[in-house]
Structure formats: structure tokens, C-alpha cells
């Protein structure tokens, strides 16, 4: 029996070759744009969080980088990284990085991708939340941001979500979106881009919600006779509470409105939580174009909240978009925030952390 080959990925050195160079080409332009972008990407993925750390990472790994980069004048300084990324088109970079990262993730199998909006604390804007709002795509298993768009003034995350989905590489992905993003257009875009969706269904889609509830009501009325389904249950205790979850997946459901493209399953999650002797019950519904087992669907549903609750003790968590702590460059506007690294106020006065997980303490 032959083993199928893993999907091939594009070499990182060729990913950024067509990114527009924002610099004027003069005799003082000493470093190739591709070299700068590749070094910065590798450094950030390795845990670098400042411009100084990126430059130091490049110098530490210079021998390695010279095996596939030109580096005609060595490793750029931290000032060079800062100035280039400050002027770089963030959308051009994000599109190419997202496609490369998605291809790399695809080699590991099905890619759960969570789409959700966040408000960026510390950025003053005249919006409903009083600050910059972005919509991000988060590879929950690989723990990396694949793409991000900012919400323009006077708009909302529902309006910009299709824009983000259209630039993502979704082949082989299972995209999870909360109820606000449960929209016919989003489902269509995901399927057109060869991905699958798992959408939360709530009252903002009353016709769809009623249809999904009817599927489960009909199945229960006949004790699931003739119904293709799967179930999974979990029980957890800790921090003074007891949680029990019961996940039921019904395949090939009948009665779902035709406007929802490629529906293969509906999911019901019943949760019973007991805290200090008081028990509460909740029920949530999901619509999916992927006919996964109940245990697998349960894991993906819970994994979606990794985009909401990044782990503070994991430096990889949201490493390309630390939204809660991202600075805001007023000269670039909202589209430049949270794109590549956590921006420093000024590169010369932003020391590297003493406990950098990769580079260690700075040289004195």
C-alpha cells in the first residue's frame, strides 16, 4: 500500500516576491524586500516580539538564511525592519502570508479556522466600541493568524467578513463562525473556495433556526429511527463547577432552506453546568457542510473559542496579531495595526524582553 504524499507548500523565499516595495530605489537601498519579509516572518513565528528581537534573530541565524536568501549587505538593522513594515501595504503582505500559512497547515490535515471580530484596546477611534475593531482568521490547531481586516467607520464585522474570506486559502479548511457571521454569502464563499463551514445558528436567522430545530424535533419524535446520526458526551469537573456536554450530529438533514449551499449536517450541543449547587441548561445549534463525527465536531466547536481566549502562557498565541496589546500607528491608520508584529513606540527605545522564549536575554 502506498502512502499519499503530503500537499506541497511554496518555499517561503518565493512567497513575497511580488509584494510591492514601498521604498524608493536609490543607492541607499541596501536590502532586498524579500529578505526583509522572510527574516521578519521567521523571527515572529519563532517568538520575536520587537524590531530589535527580529534583527537579533536574523543575525543569530545569518548562516541559515544565507542558504536561501541573497543578503547582499547582511542582516538589516532593526530600524530598517521598522521603516519597511511601517510603509508596507499590510493587505499585500497578509494575503501572501495567509495563503502560505494555510498551505503549510493543510499538510497536517483538516484545518479548523475560526473567524471572529475583536476590539483592539488602546486604540482610540470614533466607533461604536470606541476603538479599532478587526476581523481575524485564526488557525486554532496551529495557533497562528492567517489574515485580518479592519472594520471601517460606520460599518460592522458582518460587512467585512466576506472580504476576509475571499483572500484566504480555504481548500481543506473547516471554517467556524459565530452567529453574527452565519450568513448565506459567507457559506457560499467558503464552498466556492473549496472549504467547509461550521456556522452557529441563532435567532438572527429565524427561518434557518426553526428548520434546524425541526430536524432534531422530528428525529427525537421517532427515537432517531431511520436517521443517520452520531453522538458524543463529555464530563468535566474543576474550579468548583461540573460541566456535561452532549453533542448530536444529524447527517443529510431534510428541510434546510436551499439557499444554504452544501449542507451535510446539523449539530446540537446540550450543556448542563452545575456551580455551587445551581444547575443551568443551554442548547446551541450549528449548520455544517462537513459530515464529521460527533467527537470531532465537538472539538472544533470548542476550539473556536481559542480566537477569543488566547493562552497568556503560550507566546505563539495570536503571535501575528496580539490584538489586546497591539499599538496603533496613526500615520498608517487602522489597516496597519496588528498585522505583522506588535509595534514598538520607537525602535531605539523599546528593549527586548529579558525572558524572550527564543533569543534569551539581550546582549549587554
Amino acid at each position: 500500500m502506498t502512502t499519499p504524499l503530503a500537499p506541497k507548500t511554496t518555499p517561503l523565499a518565493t512567497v513575497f516576491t511580488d509584494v510591492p516595495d514601498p521604498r524608493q530605489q536609490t543607492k541607499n537601498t541596501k536590502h532586498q524586500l524579500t529578505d526583509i519579509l522572510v527574516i521578519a516572518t521567521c523571527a515572529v513565528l519563532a517568538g520575536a516580539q520587537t524590531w530589535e528581537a527580529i534583527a537579533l534573530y536574523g543575525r543569530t541565524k545569518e548562516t541559515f538564511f544565507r542558504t536561501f536568501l541573497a543578503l547582499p549587505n547582511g542582516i538589516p538593522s532593526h530600524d530598517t525592519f521598522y521603516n519597511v513594515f511601517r510603509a508596507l501595504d499590510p493587505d499585500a503582505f497578509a494575503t501572501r502570508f495567509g495563503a502560505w500559512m494555510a498551505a503549510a497547515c493543510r499538510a497536517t490535515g483538516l484545518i479548523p479556522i475560526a473567524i471572529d471580530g475583536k476590539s483592539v484596546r488602546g486604540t482610540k477611534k470614533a466607533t461604536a466600541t470606541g476603538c479599532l475593531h478587526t476581523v481575524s482568521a485564526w488557525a486554532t490547531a496551529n495557533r497562528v493568524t492567517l489574515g485580518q481586516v479592519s472594520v471601517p467607520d460606520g460599518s460592522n464585522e458582518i460587512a467585512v467578513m466576506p472580504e476576509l474570506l475571499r483572500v484566504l486559502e480555504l481548500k481543506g479548511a473547516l471554517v467556524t463562525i459565530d452567529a453574527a457571521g452565519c450568513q448565506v454569502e459567507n457559506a457560499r464563499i467558503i464552498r466556492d473556495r473549496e472549504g467547509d463551514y461550521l456556522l452557529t445558528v441563532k435567532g438572527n436567522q429565524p427561518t434557518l433556526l426553526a428548520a434546524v430545530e425541526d430536524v432534531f424535533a422530528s428525529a427525537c419524535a421517532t427515537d432517531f429511527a431511520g436517521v443517520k446520526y452520531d453522538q458524543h458526551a463529555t464530563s468535566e469537573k474543576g474550579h468548583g463547577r461540573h460541566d456535561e456536554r452532549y453533542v448530536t450530529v444529524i447527517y443529510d438533514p431534510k428541510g434546510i432552506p436551499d439557499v444554504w449551499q452544501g449542507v451535510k449536517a446539523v449539530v446540537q450541543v446540550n450543556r448542563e453546568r452545575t456551580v455551587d449547587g445551581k444547575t443551568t441548561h443551554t442548547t446551541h445549534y450549528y449548520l455544517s457542510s462537513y459530515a464529521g463525527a460527533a467527537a470531532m465536531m465537538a472539538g472544533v466547536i470548542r476550539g473556536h473559542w481559542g480566537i477569543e481566549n488566547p493562552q497568556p502562557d503560550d507566546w505563539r498565541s495570536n503571535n501575528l496579531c496580539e490584538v489586546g496589546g497591539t499599538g496603533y500607528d496613526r500615520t498608517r491608520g487602522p489597516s496597519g495595526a496588528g498585522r505583522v508584529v506588535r509595534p514598538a513606540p520607537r525602535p531605539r527605545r523599546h528593549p527586548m524582553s529579558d525572558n524572550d522564549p527564543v533569543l534569551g536575554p539581550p546582549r549587554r
Side-chain angles (χ1 to χ4, degrees):
M1 183 178 69
T2 59
T3 301
L5 296 176
K8 293 183 178 179
T9 58
T10 304
L12 184 58
T14 64
V15 169
F16 302 119
T17 53
D18 61 343
V19 174
D21 195 331
R23 303 170 296 175
Q24 293 184 354
Q25 298 303 309
T26 67
K27 63 180 181 180
N28 293 324
T29 306
K30 298 181 178 180
H31 302 283
Q32 296 183 10
L33 180 64
T34 298
D35 294 353
I36 295 171
L37 300 183
V38 169
I39 294 171
T41 299
C42 291
V44 173
L45 289 175
Q49 300 182 14
T50 67
W51 306 111
E52 294 91 337
I54 291 174
L56 179 55
Y57 180 90
R59 294 194 298 271
T60 304
K61 304 291 185 180
E62 183 172 355
T63 301
F64 164 70
F65 283 123
R66 284 192 179 278
T67 63
F68 60 96
L69 297 179
L71 298 178
N73 291 286
I75 302 297
S77 69
H78 65 272
D79 280 329
T80 299
F81 284 108
Y82 172 83
N83 291 328
V84 168
F85 276 98
R86 184 172 179 269
L88 189 71
D89 179 356
D91 293 314
F93 177 87
T95 299
R96 289 150 182 86
F97 173 81
W100 174 77
M101 197 66 217
C105 294
R106 191 162 59 245
T108 65
L110 184 71
I111 319 166
I113 298 178
I115 307 288
D116 200 21
K118 290 184 177 181
S119 293
V120 184
R121 298 187 299 274
T123 58
K124 303 299 184 182
K125 280 186 66 64
T127 63
T129 59
C131 56
L132 172 65
H133 197 72
T134 62
V135 177
S136 302
W138 174 250
T140 59
N142 304 86
R143 305 196 62 77
V144 67
T145 299
L146 300 178
Q148 182 182 57
V149 294
S150 61
V151 179
D153 293 344
S155 185
N156 55 57
E157 63 183 70
I158 298 176
V160 302
M161 202 170 288
E163 176 186 342
L164 176 60
L165 291 172
R166 289 189 183 99
V167 301
L168 292 174
E169 173 58 60
L170 297 180
K171 186 176 181 179
L174 178 56
V175 182
T176 59
I177 309 178
D178 63 13
C182 181
Q183 306 291 332
V184 171
E185 183 181 10
N186 291 339
R188 179 185 57 77
I189 294 172
I190 294 169
R191 294 299 296 145
D192 288 347
R193 299 188 66 79
E194 301 183 70
D196 285 296
Y197 58 78
L198 179 60
L199 309 177
T200 304
V201 181
K202 289 186 177 180
N204 62 316
Q205 292 286 351
T207 302
L208 176 62
L209 177 60
V212 173
E213 289 176 333
D214 285 344
V215 170
F216 284 96
S218 299
C220 290
T222 61
D223 199 20
F224 286 83
V227 177
K228 185 179 179 182
Y229 72 100
D230 189 26
Q231 292 181 312
H232 177 70
T234 60
S235 180
E236 298 176 356
K237 291 182 179 180
H239 305 288
R241 64 175 180 262
H242 179 205
D243 282 321
E244 293 185 4
R245 291 180 176 85
Y246 305 91
V247 179
T248 303
V249 182
I250 294 180
Y251 305 103
D252 301 321
K254 308 300 181 183
I256 303 300
D258 294 337
V259 292
W260 297 95
Q261 184 174 329
V263 177
K264 292 184 179 179
V266 290
V267 184
Q268 182 189 68
V269 178
N270 288 302
R271 187 174 75 173
E272 181 179 293
R273 167 173 287 190
T274 302
V275 180
D276 297 329
K278 182 179 180 180
T279 301
T280 58
H281 301 267
T282 59
T283 300
H284 298 278
Y285 295 99
Y286 301 84
L287 184 75
S288 181
S289 63
Y290 185 78
M296 175 268 177
M297 300 290 258
V300 173
I301 289 170
R302 293 197 68 181
H304 173 87
W305 302 110
I307 192 172
E308 290 280 1
N309 303 303
Q311 300 300 312
D313 57 345
D314 186 349
W315 53 265
R316 298 172 301 166
S317 180
N318 247 1
N319 62 343
L320 292 187
C321 178
E322 180 70 27
V323 178
T326 300
Y328 179 63
D329 189 337
R330 295 182 184 279
T331 63
R332 286 290 296 135
S335 65
R339 283 292 192 181
V340 183
V341 297
R342 290 167 239 181
R346 283 297 302 160
R348 289 190 179 90
R349 293 185 173 84
H350 195 73
M352 190 175 69
S353 172
D354 286 341
N355 58 354
D356 189 287
V358 174
L359 303 176
R363 293 181 290 184
R364 302 297 182 186

